[in-house]
Amino acid sequence: MNGITTAADYTWLEERYADLMEAYCVTLVRGLTAEELLKELRAEPAGRATGVAALAEPSYAVQTPYRMYVGATTVGDWALMLEYNGYLGIRDEAMLPLSRGRTVVSHFRNVNAVDHFNWYEDGTLRLHFEPLFAYHRDGSHPDELLTEMRESGFDLSEADDRDTDHHTEAAFALAHRVTGIRLTPELFETAEFTCGVAAVPRSA
């Protein structure tokens, strides 16, 4: 595991990207460039954009429940894919095949505060949980990241009065610990995104 950030390190997201934090999906894929990721997803080219905020308008204009507008950028050995109001990155039908021979970490939240955190490894869903209900986990290794989850800011108790403040920010911190990729205000402002429109695989 990498990194020592906590939920407190990501409060800038709500301050600067409140619309994104209402409904987003962030995906990190190891071993692919942005262009390679979009090719793997068979995305139709949709131009380029500078900065995360530039992805918002076309996302809402273009996408449908079965076609997601995505922006991807290369960060070190990883491809970062970002979706406004999207969910391609947490669809097992898309991510399990993509993760064969690779690591994929994705997290998602929608306007109804439904949220998911997924860690895929070599064609397997290693860990899945809902950040709002972090005490309930599944996957092939559901308890492997308990220490990292607590340190990121998740309250793993089942008590009704458990602390659920900043659970979305904690998902960003946990993704950093797993991938070593820290998302920063500077990255969000300056990243050059290659954009595409990708079909969302249907459930069998």
Side-chain angles (χ1 to χ4, degrees):
M1 299 301 106
N2 302 274
I4 54 172
T5 55
T6 69
D9 293 296
Y10 293 93
T11 55
W12 58 268
L13 285 161
E14 187 63 43
E15 296 164 1
R16 303 187 189 191
Y17 297 92
D19 56 341
L20 176 68
M21 292 295 275
E22 285 186 357
Y24 78 89
C25 188
V26 169
T27 305
L28 284 155
V29 183
R30 187 173 187 175
L32 291 179
T33 65
E35 291 74 18
E36 289 168 343
L37 172 58
L38 293 179
K39 185 177 180 179
E40 287 275 347
L41 295 174
R42 299 179 181 177
E44 301 170 7
R48 297 180 66 85
T50 300
V52 167
L55 301 175
E57 185 175 344
S59 293
Y60 287 98
V62 170
Q63 68 190 29
T64 72
Y66 301 108
R67 285 166 53 84
M68 293 290 112
Y69 181 91
V70 303
T73 189
T74 305
V75 185
D77 293 334
W78 297 75
L80 166 66
M81 183 173 77
L82 195 140
E83 306 169 64
Y84 272 82
N85 197 36
Y87 57 89
L88 179 61
I90 52 102
R91 292 287 294 197
D92 288 349
E93 295 87 350
M95 295 299 113
L96 283 171
L98 183 66
S99 74
R100 292 191 184 112
R102 307 185 182 101
T103 299
V104 177
V105 175
S106 57
H107 51 104
F108 151 95
R109 173 177 172 149
N110 70 12
V111 293
N112 298 316
V114 175
D115 53 7
H116 296 281
F117 186 102
N118 292 354
W119 173 20
Y120 303 92
E121 195 81 43
D122 197 17
T124 299
L125 179 58
R126 199 171 183 89
L127 169 67
H128 162 260
F129 67 96
E130 297 178 41
L132 191 56
F133 305 101
Y135 58 83
H136 179 72
R137 299 168 299 281
D138 53 53
S140 64
H141 293 70
D143 295 335
E144 185 170 346
L145 298 183
L146 294 183
T147 298
E148 290 81 2
M149 290 175 70
R150 291 190 185 95
E151 291 176 350
S152 294
F154 290 108
D155 184 340
L156 303 184
S157 74
E158 298 186 41
D160 291 339
D161 62 349
R162 68 186 183 280
D163 181 9
T164 58
D165 289 343
H166 304 301
H167 62 279
T168 301
E169 290 86 348
F172 281 84
L174 183 60
H176 176 205
R177 288 169 184 265
V178 176
T179 66
I181 300 299
R182 180 173 182 173
L183 305 184
T184 65
E186 293 74 23
L187 176 63
F188 267 42
E189 290 170 9
T190 64
E192 293 290 335
F193 288 95
T194 302
C195 303
V197 180
V200 179
R202 308 290 184 93
S203 299

